C-alpha cells in the first residue's frame, strides 16, 4: 500500500547541507503495524511527512495504493490527506483559539460534513478526554494536547495512521492505553506506522525499521508478535 | 531553598472547575536532584510554573531562598527568573525566526550582556548541537528543539534547574547523554527538579515525588543513589 524507492531529501542552511533522507526504499503492506526508530535527527519525521503527502522528496518515487503521489492532481492529494491518512504530529499542531472538541471535529468538516460534534466527542472519549472537550489547547496539559492530536487523527476513520512519537508526553499507563487503542484499530485493518523512541512501543509492533543519518539500516520482525 | 505550603490552583472552564493543585506542600534542599512523576494532567507543569515564578497560586505560600515570592518586587522576580532559575519547557517555547544560537544567547542578553555567542555555542555543544547553530527552530527535528531548549536553560549557569519532561522527544542514547549532563551539573551544586514520565530518568534522581489529581501522594528516596 505504501512503496517508496530511493527517496532523497536535502536541506541547505547557509553553506551546510543536511542529508535528511538518503536513498530510502521501503514497502509496507496493508494492515501492517510498523515502528520507525532511530536517533534524534535521523530523518524519521522527514520520512513521515513524505509518506503523509505533506512534503515532496528531492528525488525518488512514492506510490500510495499503486499510484505515483507526485503525479496526483491537487484535489486528489487533498482527498488522500483528508480521508485516507490520519496524522499525529510530533508537535501536536492544534488550532489555538478553538476547543479540543472543535479541533477534533475539523477533519470531518473538511470532508464536507456540516457538523460532527458527536463523532468528535466519541474520538475524545476513546483517549480519555471527554472531560476536556471545552478546553482550548492552552488550557490543556502536554499529554492532553498529545491525546487530542491522536483523537483528531482517528476521527475520520482513516485507512492509514501515521503517528510521530504519539506517547512522548504520556505517562506509562496512559501511553499503554493509547497503544492498546492503536492495536485494536490495527486488528480491524488500520495500516499503522509509529515513529517512536520508546522500546515499549516498538516492541508492540510486528515490524521495526531503524534509521540512522537518513538511511534505513535495519528492517526486522518482532518474533514475539 | 524551595519551600511551598498548601499551594492551591484551580481553573474554571465554562461551568466546570479543574483542581490542578490541591494543597501542595513540599521542601527541597539546595543541591538535591528530585524527580516529579504522575499521570498526564496530574498538575506537574502547574507546580513547576509556580516554582519557576511563572505563575501564581490561588492560595498558599512559596518561599525561595527564604523569601516569600508573592511579596517580591517585579524587578527582583525578573532577576530570579533570569539568573537563578533555568527552565526547560514541556513544549520548548523557542523563538521562531532566530537561529538556535540566538535562541540560546537570549537569556544572557537579558542579564545585561551585549553579546554571548561564545557561551551559547558552548551550551549547544554540551547537548551535541554545534552543527545546528544556524538552524531556526522550524529547521530542527523535535529532539533537536528539545535540546536547544535545554541548552538555553543552562547557559546562564542557574542555581536551580526546572526541567519539564526534558527527554520526551529523545532516543534512549541522547536522553542518557542529557541525563548525564544534568547529573554532572547536580554534583557541582545545581539544584535540579525534573518532571518526567520516564522511569529511567526518575530512577537516576535521589528523590521522587509522585502526583495524582493535583496532590503529592508519595515522597520517596531512591535507595540505590
Ligand atoms: N527545514 C529544515 N531545514 C534544515 N534542516 C532540517 C529541516 N528539517 C529538518 N532538518 C534537519 O534534518 C534532520 C532530520 O530531521 P527529522 O525531523 O526528520 O529528524 P527526526 O528523526 O524526526 O528526529 P527527532 O527524533 O529528534 O524528532 C535533522 O538533523 C534536522 O536538523
Ligand atoms: N489554563 C488552564 N485552564 C484550564 N485547565 C487547565 C489549564 N492549564 C492546565 N489545566 C488543567 O489542569 C490539569 C493539570 O495540568 P498540568 O499541565 O499541570 O498537568 P501535567 O501533570 O503537567 O500533565 P502532562 O503530564 O500531561 O504534561 C490538566 O488536567 C489540565 O487540563
Ligand atoms: Mg521527529
Ligand atoms: Mg505537563
Amino acid at each position: 500500500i505504501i512503496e517508496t524507492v530511493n527517496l532523497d531529501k536535502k536541506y541547505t542552511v547557509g553553506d551546510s547541507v543536511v542529508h535528511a533522507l538518503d536513498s530510502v526504499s521501503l514497502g509496507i503492506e496493508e494492515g501492517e503495524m510498523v515502528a520507525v526508530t532511530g536517533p534524534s535527527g535521523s530523518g524519521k519525521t522527514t520520512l513521515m511527512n513524505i509518506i503523509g503527502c505533506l512534503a515532496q522528496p528531492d528525488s525518488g518515487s512514492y506510490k500510495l495504493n499503486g499510484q505515483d503521489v507526485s503525479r496526483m492532481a491537487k484535489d486528489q492529494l487533498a482527498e488522500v490527506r483528508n480521508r485516507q491518512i490520519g496524522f499525529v504530529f510530533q508537535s501536536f499542531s492544534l488550532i489555538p483559539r478553538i476547543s479540543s472538541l472543535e479541533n477534533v471535529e475539523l477533519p470531518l468538516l473538511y470532508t464536507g460534513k456540516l457538523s460532527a460534534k458527536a463523532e468528535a466527542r466519541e474520538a475524545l472519549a476513546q483517549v480519555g478526554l471527554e472531560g476536556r472537550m471545552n478546553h482550548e489547547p492552552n488550557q490543556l496539559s502536554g499529554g492532553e494536547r498529545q491525546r487530542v492530536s491522536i483523537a483528531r487523527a482517528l476521527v475520520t476513520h482513516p485507512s492509514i495512521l501515521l503517528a510521530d512519537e504519539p506517547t512522548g508526553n504520556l505517562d506509562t499507563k496512559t501511553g499503554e492505553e493509547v497503544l492498546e487503542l492503536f492495536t485494536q484499530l490495527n486488528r480491524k485493518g488500520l495500516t499503522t506506522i509509529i515513529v517512536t523512541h520508546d522500546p515499549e512501543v516498538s516492541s508492540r509492533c510486528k515490524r521495526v525499521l531503524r534509521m540512522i543519518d537518513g538511511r534505513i539500516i535495519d528492517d526486522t520482525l518482532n518474533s514475539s508478535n
Side-chain angles (χ1 to χ4, degrees), chain A residues 141-143 169:
Chain A
S141 76
N169 276 284

Side-chain angles (χ1 to χ4, degrees), chain A residues 85-112:
Chain A
I85 297 176
F87 206 121
V88 184
F89 295 92
Q90 187 169 5
S91 51
F92 319 157
S93 303
L94 297 179
I95 304 208
R97 298 273 163 65
I98 60 179
S99 70
S100 54
L101 187 72
E102 290 163 322
N103 260 287
V104 174
E105 190 191 16
L106 223 50
L108 282 176
L109 302 184
Y110 286 148
T111 66

Side-chain angles (χ1 to χ4, degrees), chain A residues 155-176:
Chain A
V155 76
T156 51
H157 298 296
S159 47
I160 300 170
L161 174 67
L162 305 178
D164 197 345
E165 311 213 29
T167 62
N169 276 284
L170 302 177
D171 54 286
T172 315
K173 178 158 177 290
T174 311
E176 175 58 39

Side-chain angles (χ1 to χ4, degrees), chain A residues 59-198:
Chain A
S59 65
S61 69
Y62 169 33
K63 278 191 188 152
L64 178 61
N65 292 322
Q67 280 198 294
D68 188 335
V69 170
S70 59
R71 297 189 199 283
M72 282 185 189
K74 267 193 181 297
D75 54 2
Q76 191 186 1
L77 255 181
E79 172 87 1
V80 162
R81 263 189 243 127
N82 294 342
R83 289 177 188 265
Q84 274 199 45
I85 297 176
F87 206 121
V88 184
F89 295 92
Q90 187 169 5
S91 51
F92 319 157
S93 303
L94 297 179
I95 304 208
R97 298 273 163 65
I98 60 179
S99 70
S100 54
L101 187 72
E102 290 163 322
N103 260 287
V104 174
E105 190 191 16
L106 223 50
L108 282 176
L109 302 184
Y110 286 148
T111 66
K113 278 176 153 272
L114 293 172
S115 164
K117 296 272 190 292
E119 292 90 325
R121 186 170 180 160
E122 185 185 338
L124 281 170
Q126 265 188 328
V127 293
L129 287 181
E130 227 178 335
R132 293 287 181 271
M133 280 192 326
N134 300 320
H135 287 233
E136 294 178 6
N138 68 344
Q139 296 174 318
L140 294 171
S141 76
E144 289 167 349
R145 279 179 217 135
Q146 187 156 38
R147 282 182 280 161
V148 173
S149 174
I150 291 166
R152 181 181 62 178
L154 296 175
V155 76
T156 51
H157 298 296
S159 47
I160 300 170
L161 174 67
L162 305 178
D164 197 345
E165 311 213 29
T167 62
N169 276 284
L170 302 177
D171 54 286
T172 315
K173 178 158 177 290
T174 311
E176 175 58 39
E177 289 164 12
V178 162
L179 204 46
E180 183 58 26
L181 172 62
F182 289 174
T183 306
Q184 301 289 353
L185 293 168
N186 174 250
R187 286 200 189 118
K188 293 184 197 157
L190 176 64
T191 306
T192 306
I193 307 177
I194 307 176
V195 170
T196 184
H197 286 308
D198 189 345

